[in-house]
Each structure stands twice: as structure tokens, then as C-alpha cells.
Amino acid sequence: MNNRYELNKNLAQMLKGGVIMDVTTAEQARIAEDAGACAVMALERIPADIRSAGGVSRMSDPKMIKTIQEAVSIPVMAKVRIGHFAEAQILQAIEIDYIDESEVLSPADDTFHIDKTQFDVPFVCGAKDLGEALRRISEGAAMIRTKGEPGTGDVVQAVRHMRLINQQLRTIQNTREDELFQVAKDLQVPYDLVKFVHETGKLPVVNFAAGGIATPADAALMMQLGAEGVFVGSGIFKSGNPAKRAQAIVKAVTNFNDPKLLAALSEDLGEAMVGINEQEIELLMAQRGI
Amino acid sequence: MKKTIGVLSVQGAFEEHIKMLEQLDVNCLEIRKKTDLTGHTIDGLVLPGGESTVIGKLIRELDLFTPLKTLIEADMPVLGTCAGLILLAGRIADVETIHLGTMDITARRNAYGRQLGSFQTDEAFDALGKIPMVFIRAPYIESVGEKVEVLARVDNHIVAAKQDHMIVTSFHPELTNSLTVHRYFLNLI
């Protein structure tokens, strides 16, 4: 891979231990930055509202993204539909810091993801198992996040995805070297990436938790399960006191191993987003793009 | 006895610094809250890269601000990279809020623009020859006070400097294979 790809992986390294927050306006972006977000995700509707509105969900208006770029000094990310490389070209043209090729939006291609190696800006992609994660990385993703189930406030799927990815990493690390070829075949991923996992026990890029994280305890749970940071989408601006909740989640990610501090952070946060359980959802976004 | 370096670990690329330092045979201590500093003795301090707005906010809210500033003002050797440079800068162009502010430099945040402006190059570091320098949404130093020694320049902008026991770089030595900057820092102790 080229130097650009290294620089793009490096930016994800700088985001580690941080919280990336979904914002829909410049005002929300400033609240997020003041609360300690390490980056913001600019989108017209947060996942919970995409769910309730239904219909086709697309890349946000570049003008709206630009107002957010002007409002904050931290990195600004934005989403494109799976496979929609023209949307990605547009975001690159407005110098976005990170593109999220996201299952939260309606997929534009039900077979092919974007060839991310053709872009200079970095991409983050969702994954629910190691095969998906490594396929996205081979397509050029510089950062991975769990898919979770966006817009639900239900953390169960993010937990499932993070545990599965880490279990699979451990398994490959302990696999005999002459069996790695078969592992690559089973996972439908390049052998070189399997070899890397075997040698290091890690993904070659940073891995964040995303989808359904709504409380400081959720964030701490994901960090203890091995996430290197978290995305919080609907959980903040769908709650009673966004600024306070945002700050509490930021501190919970830094001190995820300190239950006393987590207890203090969890006090008086006001109402959490209502949330919907996995069984109650009609649309499982995590099943988009494999 | 092995030296112990406290690495500010509230957000950002602190693990990368720890991996570099461990190759140089020192102990590392992750500093996440006040008791990590008050409960241990350290010989030096590293302020890593990350987002300076986040780190600046967290050191205040986790009661690390005053203990860190006190240590640095009492001549504790410190290495600040990227966001760490911003934390130590006495002035930040177009920004009112300064952080620890112990160093007589004026820094400019995101001086090379957005991620598309991030780059890697090889330039001379002090008298130690060329080293790889990785700039990620990096700042640079616009001007320095009399007591500050310039250690490196890229395209005429100051990207590394030293004042007494404080070293700052706007690039990320922890993202390369070169131990030059970390070794230089440990020599101050």
C-alpha cells in the first residue's frame, strides 16, 4: 500500500481513546467539540430518525457538511452509501477528513463496495465479523468499526460483533501456519491479511465500536471488550441532556476501567434515548453489505 | 535503576509512544487521572498526539492540569508531539484558550489543513541527521522566544523546538521506526 494509506491509518490512530459523535447541525457540532468529541460525523438525520422516517437515505448535502467543517477544528467525517463511489468523490472534493461507507444509509450497490484504494481521503467501514473487516481493509479501509445496530440504543449487536471479531483474531493467532491458507479461503480474504493477524493477533487498522451505544456504561463495556474508541450516533442528541451525556461518555472512554469514576459519570444524566430492542426492529441495517 | 516515563493517556496515540520508549529500556506509566501522578514517581513526561481540544479538556476535568503544570514548571523533562506541542505552547494563533502554556512558542493548529494535507518527509533533526517525519493534520510553530532552540524545519516552518527541559515536535516520531527523538528526549533526564 502507498504512503497515503499509511497517513490515513495514522489519522485513525490519533482518534484512539476518543468518541466520534453524530451531529446534524453546526450548533450540535460545537456542542460535541466542547464536550470533548475527537471527531464528528456530519449527517442530515441521525440513524434513529432515518429509521422512523423510512425511505431512501443518501449522502448529506455538501453545504450542510461544509457549515460543520467551518464550525469545528476537529476532524469531520461524513457517510456515503455502500458502493456509491460518486458520493465518495464528492466528499473527497470538499476535503472531508474521513468517509464512512455506511450501512446506515440505503446501499447503492448490493454486490460491490467502493474501491477505496482509488481515493486519497481515508475510509472507515462497518464489520460484524473478521471476514467483513478484512475484506473492507483489502478494499482500502483505513479504519474499522463494528456495525452494531444503529439508531436503536441497544448495544447487544455491537457487543456481539466486537466479541466475534476478537474471538476470530485469537483463533487465527493460534492456528498452525500451514492452515492459514484455508482460513483465508474460508473467510474470503487475502492470505497476507490472515498472515498479519496470525503474527500480531490484531487488525492492521484501528477498530472502534459503533451502533447502539447510549450510556457511559455502554462505552466502558465496549472499551473493556477491546474497542479502541467509540462512535455515538443517536445516543447523544436523542437524549435529555446531550452536552452532559456527551461529556460523560468521553470521560468513560478514557477511564473505562475505573468503576468508581464511571458511577459518578452515570449520575443525573437525564433521560437516555428511548431505544428499541433488536426483536422489535423491522430493518436490520447490520445485514447491509457483507 | 530503570527510568520511569509518565505517558499522558487520556486520548490519542499514547500506546505508540509506550512501544517506542520500551525499546529504549525505560518503564512507562499510563497517566489517566490525578492519582496516577500523585501515587508514583516519574523521571519524565510524554504528551502524545491526539486531538488537542479533547486532551486539553480532559486534563482539566480529570484534575490533571495543575499537577502536570507544577511538574513541568519544576523542570520535569517533557516531550510533546503534535497535540502535545499545542498543550505546551504559550500562544496558539487565532485561539484564545491555551493549555499548559509553559513554552515560549506560538503554535498554529491544523497548519497544513485537513487530512488531505497530511504528509511524510525526511528532514534533519538538530545535528542528528535526517529522520522520517509524519505530519497528521499537524500544527507548526510560527515563532519562538529567545530561550527556544529550533531543532527542525520543514519548508521554512519550525516543526521541532527545545526550551530547557521541554521538547516539542509537530510531527509524530512514534509513528516511525526512528528512535532518534525519543533517545534525544531520554538524554535530557
Side-chain angles (χ1 to χ4, degrees), chain A residues 3-4 7-8 10 13-17 34-38 69 73-75 95 97 251 254-255 258, chain B residues 10-12 16 32-33 50-51 53-54 57-58 61 109-110 114-116 118 120 136-137 172 175:
Chain A
N3 182 243
R4 199 73 236 164
L7 293 167
N8 287 340
N10 290 157
Q13 286 174 281
M14 294 307 137
L15 302 175
K16 283 193 300 181
D34 289 345
C38 67
Q69 286 176 317
S73 65
I74 53 180
E95 298 201 9
D97 291 302
K251 277 187 259 182
T254 297
N255 282 293
D258 185 341
Chain B
V10 295
Q11 194 267 326
E16 288 78 353
R32 292 171 187 270
K33 54 183 188 289
E51 277 303 318
T53 53
V54 182
K57 182 183 164 62
L58 283 169
E61 294 188 351
R109 287 191 64 205
N110 300 337
R114 301 185 179 283
Q115 174 61 6
L116 282 174
S118 294
Q120 200 218 311
I136 305 293
R137 284 175 48 97
H172 292 279
L175 297 177

Side-chain angles (χ1 to χ4, degrees), chain B residues 96-134:
Chain B
E96 277 175 28
T97 312
I98 62 154
H99 303 286
L100 298 166
T102 50
M103 211 167 155
D104 190 11
I105 58 173
T106 303
R108 177 168 291 279
R109 287 191 64 205
N110 300 337
Y112 299 93
R114 301 185 179 283
Q115 174 61 6
L116 282 174
S118 294
F119 64 102
Q120 200 218 311
T121 186
D122 292 309
E123 277 298 339
F125 180 80
D126 199 29
L128 301 170
K130 285 195 174 187
I131 59 166
M133 298 180 179
V134 176

Side-chain angles (χ1 to χ4, degrees), chain B residues 14-30:
Chain B
F14 50 88
E15 277 175 7
E16 288 78 353
H17 273 293
I18 292 172
K19 276 184 196 145
M20 297 298 269
L21 290 165
E22 282 173 350
Q23 290 178 56
L24 294 167
D25 203 31
V26 293
N27 292 322
C28 291
L29 177 73
E30 288 187 13

Side-chain angles (χ1 to χ4, degrees), chain B residues 1-17:
Chain B
M1 222 180 78
K2 267 194 187 183
K3 292 167 190 164
T4 300
I5 306 297
V7 180
L8 185 64
S9 303
V10 295
Q11 194 267 326
F14 50 88
E15 277 175 7
E16 288 78 353
H17 273 293

